Amino acid sequence: MAHASDGQVLEFKLPDLGEGLTEAEIVRWLVEVGDVVAVDQPVVEVETAKAMVEVPCPYGGVVTARFGEEGTELPVGAPLVTVAVGEVDGAEDAAADGPARGTGAAEAPAAKTPAAEKKAEGSGNVLVGYGTSEAPARRRRVRPDRPAATGVSGRANGRVRAAGPVDGPVRAAEPADGPVPVISPLVRRLARQHDLDLRELAGSGPDGLILRADVEYALRAAAAQGGRTADQEAGAVLVPDAASASSGAFSASSAAPHPDGTRVPLKGVRGAVADKLSRSRREIPDATCWVDADATELMRARTAMNASGGPRISLVALLARICTAALARFPELNSTVDTEAREIVRLDRVHLGFAAQTDRGLVVPVVRDAHARDAEGLTAEFARLTEAARAGRLTPGDLTGGTFTLNNYGVFGVDGSTPIINHPEAAMLGVGRIVPKPWVHEGELAVRQVVQLSLTFDHRVCDGGTAGGFLRYVADCVEQPAVLLRTL
């Protein structure tokens, strides 16, 4: 172990790990208090709603404190570790000077030295939203006054039981001036959607930080005013205290089980999927069209390709190649809507997402520049991303930035679906199972391999004629793969 002399103590906070991610759970610490770390050395492994990620520290020096035990969920912007940056000498003092391992309440003070005024050398933009071109300025967290609730008589199961009736959410005595003590964008959005003024809430997190549990409790308390239970009429109301709310204990999972079922918290992958699909339904006026297609010739073409030697071509790769060719003809569907600017943004490159079911839930890995790949290249990339998804090794970069999604729900043995668009994309092609069915072929009834194709699209970016033209072209390529030769 070693300590830093004539240096400064820098605080490294949980960075933004990808689009829409507001928190992460600590899975495994990779360093101990007192360890010497290099710039960009991973210090902790966390699990987000999308992937397992090793988080590299942008500072080199001695670890003086860790914040949070394994299994703790931290919001983006919360402290992870503090690092003494400077000349490394010995070992024992660093561990003695820093807070005890596993504590998250204390912060190591920054050394007041001339070196603290200098910009630290950068480590590069390692993760989304955090570059290290210079040492970040330490921000003072807002500490609003937190008056004690009147009539508090005791605690039960990590909550404070008020002796008198409490009307509405727990509020501070006066709205605090300056910025509202909120880190998570999810908390702000939740409050904004329900017209809740965050300045009127007293946060139960560290230093008065307003947590999701505080907002959820305030909304429940407001909704309960119209019809209180007998227990509330008697004057007993449960409110979260700092210990339970900061640990996330006051949530749906901690509520009493319903007599007829069990409550399952919407968190992790399931929570991320719920948030994204709900947003898609709220913001996108979607419509769906579908068509049955004879896939017999496509299946024969694939068999011929695989019989000629070389890497085997997957069916999803052929469908992806058809998608990219169709998007070249109908670029309106490879776009997104900028609602603030009221503009449709047509995208030049196709980053093709595909739905993959894993043990952790549904994920949508993204094949970058799918329009520039041939069938072999698409097959290899689909295989790589699918294996990474099953092993839980997908990075945030593998899961973000898609422009169009291919959803092969036929693997579940179903024929059709009306898929929900993967926000902020403009369309999704769904492919059902390919099964033998009676089909009129060349004027005669025959048994053919038939598939149902469905297209869900954002009606803001195009009309039905464009969507129908796209789907018809896809169906033509499925029925007559030679159509693709015109664009190869």
Side-chain angles (χ1 to χ4, degrees):
M1 298 172 63
H3 75 277
S5 62
D6 298 327
Q8 57 181 327
V9 177
L10 300 178
E11 180 180 81
F12 173 45
K13 299 180 180 179
L14 178 64
D16 176 7
L17 299 172
E19 294 179 2
L21 301 179
T22 58
E23 62 264 325
E25 180 180 328
I26 296 174
V27 175
R28 180 168 58 101
W29 282 106
L30 305 177
V31 295
E32 303 283 347
V33 172
D35 286 357
V36 177
V37 295
V39 172
D40 288 348
Q41 176 180 333
V43 294
V44 65
E45 184 179 39
V46 300
E47 180 176 17
T48 71
K50 293 185 175 182
M52 298 275 283
V53 180
E54 288 188 352
V55 182
C57 180
Y59 313 123
V62 180
V63 177
T64 60
R66 302 187 322 189
F67 297 87
E69 297 287 352
E70 294 177 357
T72 302
E73 191 172 83
L74 298 178
V76 169
L80 274 178
V81 295
T82 53
V83 179
V85 179
E87 190 178 329
V88 178
D89 295 336
E92 288 79 14
D93 295 342
D97 293 341
R101 170 188 165 198
T103 62
E107 287 191 14
K112 302 295 184 180
T113 66
E117 304 298 328
K118 298 180 181 179
K119 293 184 177 181
E121 293 184 359
S123 70
N125 191 11
V126 183
L127 291 173
V128 176
Y130 102 70
T132 57
S133 58
E134 62 182 46
R138 294 176 62 89
R139 291 188 305 165
R140 296 191 52 156
R141 184 171 286 160
V142 177
R143 291 185 173 146
D145 294 334
R146 302 178 61 199
T150 57
V152 173
S153 60
R155 296 175 181 263
N157 298 327
R159 299 172 180 81
V160 180
R161 184 173 294 274
V166 177
D167 293 326
V170 179
R171 304 176 184 271
E174 296 179 0
D177 295 331
V180 180
V182 178
I183 291 177
S184 171
L186 182 62
V187 172
R188 292 184 182 274
R189 185 178 68 185
L190 185 63
R192 185 169 60 250
Q193 289 173 348
H194 294 85
D195 296 324
L196 183 65
D197 187 356
L198 288 172
R199 296 180 184 276
E200 297 182 0
L201 296 186
S204 58
D207 299 326
L209 183 68
I210 297 177
L211 306 175
R212 188 192 313 181
D214 301 322
V215 175
E216 290 174 343
Y217 171 76
L219 296 175
R220 285 196 299 270
Q225 290 186 28
R228 299 188 173 190
T229 63
D231 187 44
Q232 288 174 318
E233 292 293 347
V237 178
L238 293 178
V239 300
D241 66 2
S244 64
S246 62
S247 64
F250 194 84
S251 63
S253 61
S254 64
H258 192 277
D260 299 326
T262 302
R263 293 178 180 266
V264 178
L266 278 174
K267 59 185 295 187
V269 173
R270 187 75 261 158
V273 170
D275 291 341
K276 193 148 193 175
L277 296 183
S278 297
R279 183 179 182 184
S280 179
R281 279 297 193 211
R282 285 194 308 269
E283 297 185 10
I284 299 178
D286 59 351
T288 302
C289 54
W290 56 90
V291 65
D292 289 340
D294 179 1
T296 305
E297 296 303 323
L298 180 66
M299 301 298 288
R300 288 176 178 171
R302 175 174 177 258
T303 300
M305 290 179 190
N306 291 334
S308 63
R312 293 183 61 83
I313 304 300
S314 67
L315 179 60
V316 70
L318 293 178
L319 293 170
R321 184 66 188 87
I322 292 173
C323 274
T324 58
L327 289 172
R329 285 181 167 240
F330 301 92
E332 298 92 336
L333 294 170
N334 191 52
S335 62
T336 187
V337 176
D338 186 338
T339 54
E340 293 186 1
R342 293 186 62 82
E343 293 176 342
I344 297 173
V345 183
R346 292 185 182 172
L347 306 168
D348 298 328
R349 302 159 68 184
V350 178
H351 300 316
L352 187 67
F354 66 98
Q357 193 70 33
T358 70
D359 293 339
R360 297 179 64 239
L362 179 69
V363 294
V364 184
V366 177
V367 177
R368 303 284 171 184
D369 295 318
H371 61 287
R373 300 175 186 262
D374 58 16
E376 286 188 3
L378 289 168
T379 297
E381 187 64 2
F382 277 123
R384 183 189 72 82
L385 290 171
T386 300
E387 176 60 28
R390 290 171 179 167
R393 297 195 308 268
L394 288 173
T395 67
D398 292 330
L399 292 161
T400 55
T403 64
F404 185 93
T405 296
L406 174 63
N407 187 358
N408 181 21
Y409 46 75
V411 297
F412 300 117
V414 297
D415 295 325
S417 174
T418 55
I420 299 175
I421 296 173
N422 188 22
H423 185 281
E425 297 170 12
M428 176 185 291
L429 178 69
V431 182
R433 61 176 179 164
I434 300 176
V435 293
K437 287 185 178 181
W439 190 267
V440 177
H441 176 66
E442 297 179 349
E444 296 183 357
L445 188 63
V447 176
R448 305 285 286 182
Q449 300 293 319
V450 179
V451 61
Q452 184 179 103
L453 307 170
S454 63
L455 177 71
T456 297
F457 64 99
D458 185 340
H459 229 314
R460 295 173 298 178
V461 305
C462 69
D463 296 324
T466 300
F470 174 92
L471 189 59
R472 187 63 257 171
Y473 179 79
V474 170
D476 289 344
C477 290
V478 168
E479 293 184 339
Q480 304 176 52
V483 173
L484 276 177
L485 293 176
R486 296 177 61 91
T487 59
L488 292 180

